[in-house]
Amino acid sequence: MERYKDNFPRKVNDQFRGNVIQNARMSQKDRETLKKLAREYQKDKQSSEIKHGNSTVEKELKSLRNQVKSQIVGANGNATAEVKDMRVDTKGQLHDLAQDRLNEDFNRIGGIADAAKETVDVLENKMNTGAYYNEVSHFRGRKFDTTYYITHIPHLDSNGNVIKLKRGIQGNDPNNPEHITPSQFARKTKATFVSNASTGSGTQLKLHGQQIYNGQILDSIKGDEYAPLNDRWTLAIGDDNTLTSFPPDVQASEIRNQGYNNTVSGFGPIISDSKIIVKDDDYSPNTIVSHPRQVIAQLPNKDLIFFSCDGRENNTHTMIEKGMTLQEVAETLLDHYDIEFAYNMDGGGSTSSVVRSHKLNRSMDENKTEERKVLDFLYIGRDSVQLRDQDMQNAYQDIGEVRDMVQEVRGMLYSLRRISGKEFGLTGYDGYTGFLSFDDDGNPKKKLYQGPEGWRFWDYDVSRTIFRITEDEVQHNNRALARNYSAPESVKDINSVTYGGTYHVPRNAKGSPYPNLSSSIVTHYNVSYAEFDDTATAFQMAIPFARSTNYRMKRRTYAQGAWSNWFDV
């Protein structure tokens, strides 16, 4: 049975209006149901078809009247004489009076009917009990340039039973928990909802802070081993789901003595008595930094709220997920609910809210393609009661796996947009491979592609190649760039140089400006054409290496297919 909404946001907004409308509709629906039951009862009351077992009372009475009428009167005229078979019950036992036999049969039939009713009630309860808590709801919102997810867990289910918040650790030894993802834990436990919980050491595989698990105090990393823990509070969870927190100097034994059998070591409270209490640099310097966050909160009626938000994605206007400070998280929670208490658990890449085996928020690890492994969990779940539950849970697991694949693809897309991979490849090269960019109307604007001639950068606005890279040269606007290196290329024949640039010319090289006397540096220019041929005009300038005033700079020109002599400058 769906519950009336009894937790309203502080602000009169769309959510407030929606809750009022939903309660009004539920009230109208309940009114119509009661009227229908009243009409049916009135109809049954007027009918003679009152049920008794598999028959009706009217039929049974008629049968008894006929049997009385047909009884055999004794020879002495005694009116109390009876037919013998009237005193034998359904099990063959003979009774002194027919009334005794009827009482026995009626009692037996009534017992069978009561047992059948109990069986029907049990089966009906199982049919109405799903594999998951259907009372759990979740929704998504956006604020502070960040997408957030809120999961609402009522304190009681539709039958009035407490939806118990449980602490989860995978493995046989709680002091050495297995390192798995919240999604993996959800699939192992068939839980309705799973959240990551404590901070811990991924290398030592040990939890942080004051740890109590189902009444057992665990071996964990304390402040003397990891100094930041000296500033962090402990979250304690009561057996009735009551949440509270203890300051850093309170030990696990003291917390257990106060009746708390489970704790979580996160950072600290951010809301208490319905007021924001977190201050800058509380618990950690990251308090005022935008990050993915995981927060557990409680309403005055003990309903639980889990808050997750994305973050650390800020590369484009279409994929921005800034993350939130703790102050921003607290403000966002109070936009929706009258939060009595809220506590900041492990966040960042560990942030995770898994509902019916699918993860709501986005994963962070391996370029946002993988979910992070953690050491402990908070969760709710119910025991399977029929085979149908297993089928439903398997179906939700399949849905969760599909969502994980979508998350992986999204992470790949994010990495591509950031060009953060070490290597990126395009397959299918058959003489052409390239990148093409379009404007907002779908018109091609720029193209970078590889063809038989090498790489080219084409500009659609001017309809020409702006930049080209071939095996022999680099061109800009169809003109070859000079070969100017910090260590000039050495040539054996300066007459055969066809590309502009600076060259080292040994003294014994063909065409040397200082033959057999001095090596030199020659700068070559193509004057009339990008490529050198017999119709080109070119110019060379030479500087000698010899340390003597007897050697001067020289120059020469190329025209009509031949070089001139070298002339002193």
Side-chain angles (χ1 to χ4, degrees):
M1 179 182 295
E2 189 174 3
R3 299 176 59 199
Y4 286 93
K5 300 290 184 181
D6 56 3
N7 288 290
F8 290 79
R10 291 182 171 182
K11 300 179 181 178
V12 179
N13 53 19
D14 288 344
Q15 182 186 355
F16 185 98
R17 178 176 176 272
N19 289 347
V20 173
I21 293 173
Q22 181 177 354
N23 285 349
R25 290 175 177 172
M26 290 174 61
S27 178
Q28 179 64 25
K29 183 178 178 181
D30 292 344
R31 179 174 177 269
E32 293 174 356
T33 300
L34 290 174
K35 288 178 64 179
K36 180 179 178 181
L37 291 174
R39 287 195 299 269
E40 292 177 351
Y41 173 76
Q42 185 176 10
K43 179 180 177 181
D44 290 341
K45 183 178 180 182
Q46 296 172 354
S47 174
S48 61
E49 296 296 317
I50 302 176
K51 301 293 183 182
H52 179 80
N54 294 325
S55 182
T56 66
V57 171
E58 183 178 5
K59 290 180 179 179
E60 294 294 327
L61 290 175
K62 184 177 180 180
S63 175
L64 290 174
R65 284 196 301 269
N66 289 338
Q67 290 186 42
V68 171
K69 289 179 181 180
S70 63
Q71 69 179 342
I72 300 174
V73 180
N76 58 2
N78 189 350
T80 62
E82 300 172 333
V83 177
K84 183 177 181 181
D85 64 0
M86 290 184 61
R87 294 183 287 119
V88 178
D89 63 24
T90 56
K91 288 195 172 185
Q93 181 179 354
L94 179 63
H95 296 268
D96 293 335
L97 298 174
Q99 183 64 46
D100 295 338
R101 170 255 176 177
L102 290 175
N103 290 339
E104 179 70 21
D105 282 345
F106 275 131
N107 289 336
R108 184 175 296 118
I109 292 171
I112 294 173
D114 290 342
K117 180 64 167 59
E118 291 177 3
T119 301
V120 170
D121 289 343
V122 171
L123 292 175
E124 183 178 9
N125 180 65
K126 289 184 177 181
M127 291 298 295
N128 293 332
T129 301
Y132 299 106
Y133 283 108
N134 293 324
E135 298 85 353
V136 174
S137 61
H138 63 87
F139 62 90
R140 180 175 65 179
R142 187 166 177 84
K143 192 172 183 179
F144 302 116
D145 290 327
T146 303
T147 303
Y148 61 87
Y149 311 83
I150 289 180
T151 303
H152 184 171
I153 302 174
H155 183 55
L156 303 177
D157 64 15
S158 58
N159 295 320
N161 300 316
V162 174
I163 301 178
K164 174 65 177 172
L165 179 64
K166 305 174 185 177
R167 175 102 187 274
I169 293 179
Q170 187 64 28
N172 298 324
D173 183 2
N175 288 302
N176 294 282
E178 291 185 15
H179 212 202
I180 64 173
T181 69
S183 292
Q184 290 172 329
F185 183 83
R187 291 162 191 165
K188 287 178 179 292
T189 59
K190 314 297 184 185
T192 302
F193 173 81
V194 175
S195 166
N196 66 295
S198 300
T199 60
S201 170
T203 55
Q204 300 181 54
L205 297 184
K206 292 182 68 174
L207 294 164
H208 283 163
Q210 306 301 325
Q211 292 287 340
I212 307 174
Y213 175 65
N214 294 337
Q216 175 186 355
I217 296 178
L218 303 182
D219 177 27
S220 57
I221 298 174
K222 302 297 195 301
D224 55 349
E225 300 177 69
Y226 183 55
L229 296 177
N230 293 320
D231 297 322
R232 299 180 186 178
W233 289 49
T234 302
L235 174 68
I237 305 167
D239 292 340
D240 63 347
N241 290 356
T242 299
L243 302 181
T244 190
S245 60
F246 290 89
D249 58 344
V250 178
Q251 303 300 306
S253 57
E254 298 179 53
I255 298 174
R256 188 176 60 179
N257 289 340
Q258 294 191 36
Y260 294 96
N261 292 313
N262 285 284
T263 62
V264 167
S265 176
F267 290 87
I270 62 174
I271 297 175
S272 183
D273 295 328
S274 301
K275 297 178 182 178
I276 299 175
I277 62 170
V278 65
K279 299 180 178 59
D280 291 354
D281 297 326
D282 274 354
Y283 322 124
S284 166
N286 286 334
T287 298
I288 58 174
V289 181
S290 298
H291 282 296
R293 301 288 184 180
Q294 187 76 356
V295 170
I296 184 174
Q298 192 159 53
L299 307 183
N301 65 352
K302 294 189 180 180
D303 284 7
L304 296 172
I305 303 296
F306 282 86
F307 175 96
S308 300
C309 73
D310 294 322
R312 298 177 182 171
E313 298 181 10
N314 199 17
N315 63 312
T316 71
H317 68 284
T318 59
M319 297 182 72
I320 184 171
E321 293 293 349
K322 180 176 68 68
M324 293 189 186
T325 67
L326 291 187
Q327 176 75 26
E328 291 171 340
V329 171
E331 292 177 13
T332 304
L333 281 169
L334 290 174
D335 283 346
H336 295 283
Y337 298 97
D338 180 19
I339 301 293
E340 184 173 71
F341 173 84
Y343 179 91
N344 181 41
M345 298 190 294
D346 191 15
S350 298
T351 300
S352 190
S353 283
V354 181
V355 177
R356 300 179 185 92
S357 293
H358 74 273
K359 189 169 180 283
L360 299 181
N361 59 298
R362 295 167 180 167
S363 299
M364 297 297 301
D365 288 356
E366 294 298 321
N367 292 324
K368 307 186 186 302
T369 62
E370 290 189 6
E371 185 178 355
R372 181 171 298 180
K373 296 178 179 180
V374 295
L375 298 173
D376 69 333
F377 312 89
L378 293 176
Y379 73 104
I380 63 166
R382 65 192 334 157
D383 296 332
S384 297
V385 295
Q386 53 187 317
L387 292 177
R388 181 199 63 177
D389 293 343
Q390 184 66 48
D391 294 335
M392 291 180 61
Q393 289 163 341
N394 289 340
Y396 274 106
Q397 285 185 21
D398 293 340
I399 295 172
E401 290 174 1
V402 171
R403 183 180 174 87
D404 290 345
M405 287 188 284
V406 172
Q407 169 64 43
E408 184 176 357
V409 172
R410 185 190 179 280
M412 292 177 181
L413 176 61
Y414 179 83
S415 299
L416 172 60
R417 294 176 72 99
R418 290 176 59 92
I419 316 178
S420 60
K422 295 181 179 179
E423 184 175 287
F424 180 78
L426 292 176
T427 61
Y429 177 75
D430 57 357
Y432 172 86
T433 299
F435 299 91
L436 184 59
S437 62
F438 299 85
D439 62 16
D440 292 337
D441 297 323
N443 301 311
K445 303 299 290 183
K446 312 289 182 184
K447 179 168 66 174
L448 177 64
Y449 65 99
Q450 183 183 17
E453 298 177 355
W455 282 99
R456 299 175 66 181
F457 180 77
W458 176 268
D459 190 316
Y460 282 88
D461 291 333
V462 296
S463 299
R464 72 168 182 265
T465 297
I466 303 299
F467 197 74
R468 180 187 285 114
I469 303 174
T470 70
E471 182 179 355
D472 298 319
E473 63 186 43
V474 177
Q475 296 180 9
H476 178 251
N477 288 329
N478 294 322
R479 297 183 67 87
L481 300 181
R483 295 186 175 183
N484 289 313
Y485 306 110
S486 60
E489 180 182 354
S490 184
V491 298
K492 296 181 179 180
D493 183 359
I494 191 60
N495 294 335
S496 64
V497 170
T498 59
Y499 294 103
T502 302
Y503 300 90
H504 170 251
V505 182
R507 60 185 179 182
N508 58 351
K510 186 176 180 179
S512 170
Y514 311 96
N516 301 317
L517 295 175
S518 175
S519 60
S520 60
I521 294 295
V522 173
T523 302
H524 175 98
Y525 298 95
N526 289 332
V527 178
S528 56
Y529 293 95
E531 296 182 356
F532 193 85
D533 56 27
D534 290 343
T535 61
T537 303
F539 177 83
Q540 290 182 345
M541 178 74 73
I543 302 174
F545 274 169
R547 298 180 180 181
S548 172
T549 58
N550 295 326
Y551 299 97
R552 304 180 64 181
M553 292 176 59
K554 293 190 176 187
R555 63 177 177 82
R556 68 175 180 173
T557 58
Y558 181 89
Q560 298 179 356
W563 283 102
S564 69
N565 293 328
W566 286 100
F567 299 97
D568 290 341
V569 175

